[in-house]
Amino acid sequence: MTAPLTDETARTMRALWFDYLDAVQAVRPRLHAYCLRLTGTVWDAEDLVQDTLLRGFGAMGRCDMSPPMEDGTGGRWFDKPQAYLAQIATNLWVDRWRRSRRDGLPSDADAGNQVAGQVITRSAGAALFERAAPQERAAVVLKDVFDFSLEEIAAMLSATPGAVKAALHRGRGKLREKAAAPPARTHLASTALIDKFIAAFNARDVKAITALLLESVTYEPQGVGGERGKRGIWLNVPVPAIVVAERHVVDGETVVAFTFVAKSVKRLGGLERLEEVEGMISRIINYYFCPDTLAYAASALGMAPWSNGYHQEGETLSRMIAHAGLPWA
């Protein structure tokens, strides 16, 4: 008889998740750069990074392994984690594009002329690879970001090395085409609501912040967990007095930037995107443990980035693991 899932199962899985994040840490900056050039916005890029990491983690659990091909490409993913994660990101992005086409919805890749930041990357077969300009751009991104060989790119795009070489030649010229604006998002918080949140935060007024939240609000620190409900633990986490919340625009979206000044240098230590339903904050997406996204945003805002790493450390991490439980319990 199969043993039931318990809170101990959840604790084991959480511990393994953070071990996994440590194992792929060296790959993260280039994976983020790749996803940024696929999607065109830092927000879509971080979403794609997180989905890619989760898919890769799940693949290990279900033993997604393949023997090496005769030409030496392919093989067990942990031999070449960056290639495997890049391929997962490619597949996820293509699936998203296909769903948007099937459902008649606009996708980032449909928005006018495209550059490498807005491409679709994996071909379902050699024919699609030959006729689809986004595949040409994909080859360029894979080469420029990861410096993969022609053979490796061919394996990812289900093409031949010769087709990849031709795509690189054609694609580089097309990368200079002007990018269209990304499609507008829905449910983004209004400027007025964001300003209320910022004022309450800077006053360290937990009651005022709580009053702005939907009862079922979700708090999502990317990659490290999450909470649901307006009385979440995160509200009571102490924040240093030097940290100030500000309203800024990054890649077309109004966000909350958490800044501080150290040694006369203004630094960006965190970002949050807010979503709104009926005048209340319904979702808070936190990028505190997304150093690649913070570095990008800091550069765009003329600040210096402050890296918090990819997850909590020490006693804080131990407590998080110890308090893990089944989400449905």
Side-chain angles (χ1 to χ4, degrees):
M1 181 177 177
T2 303
L5 295 177
T6 66
D7 286 347
E8 185 59 36
T9 308
R11 286 189 282 272
T12 298
M13 292 180 67
R14 175 167 283 191
L16 290 173
W17 169 253
F18 288 114
D19 287 344
Y20 166 73
L21 292 184
D22 289 339
V24 300
Q25 177 173 322
V27 180
R28 291 279 292 271
R30 281 198 288 180
L31 177 64
H32 185 273
Y34 178 64
C35 291
L36 181 58
R37 293 184 64 181
L38 285 182
T39 63
T41 76
V42 71
W43 314 118
D44 287 335
E46 189 62 53
D47 285 347
L48 185 55
V49 167
Q50 296 297 333
D51 290 344
T52 297
L53 292 173
L54 188 59
R55 181 70 64 89
F57 183 70
M60 287 198 304
R62 68 185 185 190
C63 297
D64 270 7
M65 311 283 184
S66 302
M69 298 180 184
E70 291 184 3
D71 62 2
T73 62
R76 300 186 186 278
W77 83 271
F78 47 77
D79 291 335
K80 293 183 178 179
Q82 65 181 20
Y84 187 73
L85 292 175
Q87 184 165 23
I88 290 175
T90 299
N91 294 349
L92 288 171
W93 182 245
V94 164
D95 288 345
R96 171 183 170 180
W97 177 75
R98 286 175 174 164
R99 285 195 300 271
S100 69
R101 285 293 183 90
R102 184 184 64 238
D103 297 337
L105 300 173
S107 69
D108 294 349
D110 292 326
N113 292 331
Q114 304 158 9
V115 294
Q118 293 171 293
V119 299
I120 306 305
T121 55
R122 180 176 59 91
S123 171
L128 179 58
F129 182 90
E130 285 296 326
R131 70 173 182 265
Q135 310 303 338
E136 299 169 2
R137 300 185 178 105
V140 176
V141 177
L142 287 166
K143 183 65 176 176
D144 287 352
V145 174
F146 290 103
D147 195 27
F148 289 137
S149 68
L150 295 180
E151 290 75 17
E152 289 172 323
I153 296 173
M156 293 181 194
L157 299 179
S158 301
T160 65
V164 170
K165 186 175 182 179
L168 287 170
H169 177 73
R170 294 190 302 266
R172 291 195 184 280
K174 296 179 180 179
L175 295 184
R176 290 187 286 271
E177 295 174 1
K178 184 178 178 181
R185 295 176 181 272
T186 58
H187 303 302
L188 292 179
S190 65
T191 299
L193 184 58
I194 291 173
D195 285 344
K196 290 179 182 178
F197 178 85
I198 288 173
F201 175 89
N202 288 336
R204 303 302 192 262
D205 190 338
V206 174
K207 184 176 180 180
I209 294 176
T210 304
L212 299 173
L213 305 178
L214 201 67
E215 190 68 40
S216 59
V217 63
T218 59
Y219 176 69
E220 304 171 21
Q222 294 291 280
V224 298
E227 297 183 63
R228 179 180 293 273
K230 64 189 299 180
R231 294 168 184 81
I233 298 172
W234 65 275
L235 279 170
N236 298 304
V237 174
V239 179
I242 63 171
V243 176
V244 177
E246 301 174 350
R247 171 163 51 84
H248 288 281
V249 176
V250 178
D251 275 9
E253 290 195 22
T254 303
V255 298
V256 180
F258 297 94
T259 70
F260 63 95
V261 177
K263 296 181 179 180
S264 301
V265 177
K266 189 171 185 179
R267 299 184 179 275
L268 178 66
L271 286 168
E272 286 185 347
R273 292 164 63 215
L274 310 182
E275 294 186 1
E276 176 179 347
V277 171
E278 298 180 354
M280 308 289 285
I281 296 173
S282 59
R283 186 185 184 198
I284 301 174
I285 309 169
N286 181 287
Y287 297 88
Y288 188 81
F289 293 109
C290 301
D292 305 305
T293 288
L294 290 179
Y296 176 95
S299 177
L301 298 174
M303 303 181 195
W306 180 266
S307 177
N308 309 295
Y310 290 109
H311 63 74
Q312 300 86 341
E313 300 286 352
E315 293 184 4
T316 301
L317 181 60
S318 296
R319 287 197 301 271
M320 286 182 58
I321 294 172
H323 289 89
L326 295 174
W328 56 81

mmCIF file of all heavy atoms in Angstrom, residues 64-69 72-79 84:
data_model
loop_
_atom_site.group_PDB
_atom_site.id
_atom_site.type_symbol
_atom_site.label_atom_id
_atom_site.label_comp_id
_atom_site.label_asym_id
_atom_site.label_seq_id
_atom_site.Cartn_x
_atom_site.Cartn_y
_atom_site.Cartn_z
ATOM 1 N N ASP A 64 13.048 12.000 -15.845
ATOM 2 C CA ASP A 64 13.157 12.325 -17.264
ATOM 3 C C ASP A 64 14.620 12.277 -17.663
ATOM 4 O O ASP A 64 15.352 13.256 -17.538
ATOM 5 C CB ASP A 64 12.597 13.731 -17.531
ATOM 6 C CG ASP A 64 11.116 13.688 -17.843
ATOM 7 O OD1 ASP A 64 10.531 12.609 -17.713
ATOM 8 O OD2 ASP A 64 10.551 14.728 -18.200
ATOM 9 N N MET A 65 15.064 11.135 -18.107
ATOM 10 C CA MET A 65 16.460 10.952 -18.496
ATOM 11 C C MET A 65 16.507 10.386 -19.910
ATOM 12 O O MET A 65 15.610 9.672 -20.333
ATOM 13 C CB MET A 65 17.168 9.964 -17.552
ATOM 14 C CG MET A 65 16.978 10.253 -16.078
ATOM 15 S SD MET A 65 18.006 11.617 -15.525
ATOM 16 C CE MET A 65 17.619 11.593 -13.761
ATOM 17 N N SER A 66 17.567 10.703 -20.616
ATOM 18 C CA SER A 66 17.742 10.181 -21.972
ATOM 19 C C SER A 66 19.194 9.785 -22.170
ATOM 20 O O SER A 66 20.094 10.481 -21.701
ATOM 21 C CB SER A 66 17.358 11.242 -23.014
ATOM 22 O OG SER A 66 16.031 11.667 -22.831
ATOM 23 N N PRO A 67 19.442 8.690 -22.857
ATOM 24 C CA PRO A 67 20.831 8.316 -23.154
ATOM 25 C C PRO A 67 21.424 9.278 -24.171
ATOM 26 O O PRO A 67 20.690 9.904 -24.936
ATOM 27 C CB PRO A 67 20.689 6.906 -23.736
ATOM 28 C CG PRO A 67 19.318 6.900 -24.332
ATOM 29 C CD PRO A 67 18.468 7.746 -23.423
ATOM 30 N N PRO A 68 22.751 9.422 -24.208
ATOM 31 C CA PRO A 68 23.378 10.308 -25.198
ATOM 32 C C PRO A 68 23.076 9.838 -26.612
ATOM 33 O O PRO A 68 22.918 8.652 -26.877
ATOM 34 C CB PRO A 68 24.873 10.183 -24.878
ATOM 35 C CG PRO A 68 24.928 9.697 -23.464
ATOM 36 C CD PRO A 68 23.717 8.813 -23.293
ATOM 37 N N MET A 69 22.985 10.814 -27.530
ATOM 38 C CA MET A 69 22.808 10.474 -28.934
ATOM 39 C C MET A 69 24.139 10.001 -29.510
ATOM 40 O O MET A 69 25.198 10.175 -28.917
ATOM 41 C CB MET A 69 22.301 11.701 -29.706
ATOM 42 C CG MET A 69 20.947 12.205 -29.227
ATOM 43 S SD MET A 69 20.430 13.661 -30.185
ATOM 44 C CE MET A 69 18.902 14.072 -29.334
ATOM 45 N N GLY A 72 26.926 12.448 -29.702
ATOM 46 C CA GLY A 72 27.417 12.998 -28.446
ATOM 47 C C GLY A 72 26.529 14.044 -27.830
ATOM 48 O O GLY A 72 26.754 14.474 -26.694
ATOM 49 N N THR A 73 25.501 14.519 -28.539
ATOM 50 C CA THR A 73 24.595 15.513 -27.980
ATOM 51 C C THR A 73 23.531 14.813 -27.154
ATOM 52 O O THR A 73 23.344 13.603 -27.221
ATOM 53 C CB THR A 73 23.932 16.337 -29.084
ATOM 54 O OG1 THR A 73 23.144 15.455 -29.912
ATOM 55 C CG2 THR A 73 24.963 17.028 -29.938
ATOM 56 N N GLY A 74 22.807 15.597 -26.395
ATOM 57 C CA GLY A 74 21.760 15.033 -25.552
ATOM 58 C C GLY A 74 22.361 14.365 -24.338
ATOM 59 O O GLY A 74 23.505 14.597 -23.963
ATOM 60 N N GLY A 75 21.598 13.510 -23.701
ATOM 61 C CA GLY A 75 22.100 12.809 -22.523
ATOM 62 C C GLY A 75 21.385 13.233 -21.270
ATOM 63 O O GLY A 75 20.418 13.980 -21.305
ATOM 64 N N ARG A 76 21.867 12.737 -20.149
ATOM 65 C CA ARG A 76 21.230 13.043 -18.873
ATOM 66 C C ARG A 76 21.372 14.524 -18.585
ATOM 67 O O ARG A 76 22.440 15.101 -18.677
ATOM 68 C CB ARG A 76 21.871 12.203 -17.769
ATOM 69 C CG ARG A 76 21.724 10.700 -18.032
ATOM 70 C CD ARG A 76 22.239 9.900 -16.841
ATOM 71 N NE ARG A 76 22.235 8.485 -17.149
ATOM 72 C CZ ARG A 76 21.163 7.698 -17.061
ATOM 73 N NH1 ARG A 76 20.025 8.204 -16.681
ATOM 74 N NH2 ARG A 76 21.229 6.419 -17.346
ATOM 75 N N TRP A 77 20.254 15.120 -18.161
ATOM 76 C CA TRP A 77 20.217 16.571 -18.113
ATOM 77 C C TRP A 77 21.213 17.161 -17.130
ATOM 78 O O TRP A 77 21.721 18.258 -17.333
ATOM 79 C CB TRP A 77 18.808 17.054 -17.809
ATOM 80 C CG TRP A 77 18.414 17.068 -16.371
ATOM 81 C CD1 TRP A 77 17.846 16.058 -15.667
ATOM 82 C CD2 TRP A 77 18.536 18.161 -15.467
ATOM 83 N NE1 TRP A 77 17.620 16.447 -14.385
ATOM 84 C CE2 TRP A 77 18.026 17.726 -14.234
ATOM 85 C CE3 TRP A 77 19.031 19.459 -15.573
ATOM 86 C CZ2 TRP A 77 17.995 18.540 -13.118
ATOM 87 C CZ3 TRP A 77 19.004 20.276 -14.462
ATOM 88 C CH2 TRP A 77 18.486 19.817 -13.252
ATOM 89 N N PHE A 78 21.534 16.452 -16.054
ATOM 90 C CA PHE A 78 22.430 17.043 -15.072
ATOM 91 C C PHE A 78 23.875 17.078 -15.549
ATOM 92 O O PHE A 78 24.732 17.668 -14.917
ATOM 93 C CB PHE A 78 22.336 16.330 -13.726
ATOM 94 C CG PHE A 78 22.393 14.834 -13.801
ATOM 95 C CD1 PHE A 78 23.583 14.174 -13.993
ATOM 96 C CD2 PHE A 78 21.236 14.084 -13.687
ATOM 97 C CE1 PHE A 78 23.639 12.796 -14.067
ATOM 98 C CE2 PHE A 78 21.272 12.695 -13.757
ATOM 99 C CZ PHE A 78 22.481 12.049 -13.945
ATOM 100 N N ASP A 79 24.175 16.452 -16.688
ATOM 101 C CA ASP A 79 25.501 16.593 -17.287
ATOM 102 C C ASP A 79 25.658 17.989 -17.894
ATOM 103 O O ASP A 79 26.757 18.541 -17.937
ATOM 104 C CB ASP A 79 25.714 15.542 -18.372
ATOM 105 C CG ASP A 79 25.830 14.138 -17.785
ATOM 106 O OD1 ASP A 79 26.209 14.034 -16.612
ATOM 107 O OD2 ASP A 79 25.520 13.175 -18.498
ATOM 108 N N TYR A 84 19.775 21.859 -20.795
ATOM 109 C CA TYR A 84 18.479 21.272 -20.504
ATOM 110 C C TYR A 84 17.474 22.338 -20.093
ATOM 111 O O TYR A 84 16.333 22.354 -20.564
ATOM 112 C CB TYR A 84 18.616 20.225 -19.411
ATOM 113 C CG TYR A 84 17.338 19.454 -19.171
ATOM 114 C CD1 TYR A 84 16.897 18.511 -20.090
ATOM 115 C CD2 TYR A 84 16.565 19.690 -18.040
ATOM 116 C CE1 TYR A 84 15.715 17.817 -19.883
ATOM 117 C CE2 TYR A 84 15.386 18.999 -17.829
ATOM 118 C CZ TYR A 84 14.967 18.066 -18.754
ATOM 119 O OH TYR A 84 13.796 17.393 -18.553
#
